Amino acid sequence: MLGAASGRSGPPCCLGQEKSAVLRALAAKARLAQELLNGIPGMRCSPVQGAMYCFPRVQLPPRACAAARAVGQAPDMFFCMRLLEETGICLVPGSGFGQQEGTFHFRMTILPPIEKLQLVLEKLGSFYAKFVKEFS
């Protein structure tokens, strides 16, 4: 029944093994995201717990915040839009999630294959360094 309900064939024991493999892969991606984000000066990521997203805090220079307000955007939205336009990486600004006033975050999925996730995180780090330099 379990195999039929999931749309997969095979004995239920195999489904348990598959579930375990998926959970191990998600845990590895969560650790990778946390480690690489915490290695970027100006970013801090708490451990990912039971989700497919991380929600790191990012420090944005005052000049970036002023530039964002000048175009009518929240600073984290400004950062996310610049990232999207320049790299194709799509993040969700934390301002839509009720973040604490004066802090900036973004939400990022950890679902891509681990090799692609690592590449995305490396590109994000390079972009952030350039962004901070531009607005410092």
Side-chain angles (χ1 to χ4, degrees), residues 78-87 127 131 134-135:
F78 181 75
F79 173 78
C80 289
M81 290 303 297
R82 289 281 302 266
L83 177 70
L84 177 62
E85 292 164 357
E86 294 184 28
T87 68
F127 170 82
F131 182 87
E134 178 182 347
F135 288 101

Side-chain angles (χ1 to χ4, degrees), residues 19-126:
K19 176 183 173 186
S20 293
V22 168
L23 292 176
R24 279 192 307 276
L26 285 172
K29 292 174 187 182
R31 282 190 303 275
L32 175 71
Q34 180 187 2
E35 289 170 11
L36 292 181
L37 288 166
N38 284 337
I40 300 170
M43 290 194 187
R44 175 61 47 208
C45 185
S46 297
V48 177
Q49 298 180 8
M52 43 192 184
Y53 301 103
C54 58
F55 198 69
R57 182 174 179 168
V58 58
Q59 295 175 350
L60 299 178
R63 287 185 53 217
C65 295
R69 290 184 189 98
V71 295
Q73 291 181 342
D76 54 354
M77 171 64 96
F78 181 75
F79 173 78
C80 289
M81 290 303 297
R82 289 281 302 266
L83 177 70
L84 177 62
E85 292 164 357
E86 294 184 28
T87 68
I89 298 171
C90 184
L91 304 177
V92 179
S95 52
F97 296 94
Q99 63 192 0
Q100 183 179 9
E101 184 69 31
T103 66
F104 308 106
H105 299 78
F106 57 82
R107 186 178 81 167
M108 181 180 138
T109 185
I110 61 166
L111 291 179
I114 200 156
E115 301 81 17
K116 288 186 180 183
L117 180 61
Q118 182 162 355
L119 178 62
V120 165
L121 291 165
E122 290 168 358
K123 287 174 73 173
L124 172 62
S126 296

Side-chain angles (χ1 to χ4, degrees), residues 1-12 15:
M1 175 93 168
L2 183 58
S6 71
R8 299 189 189 255
S9 59
L15 296 176

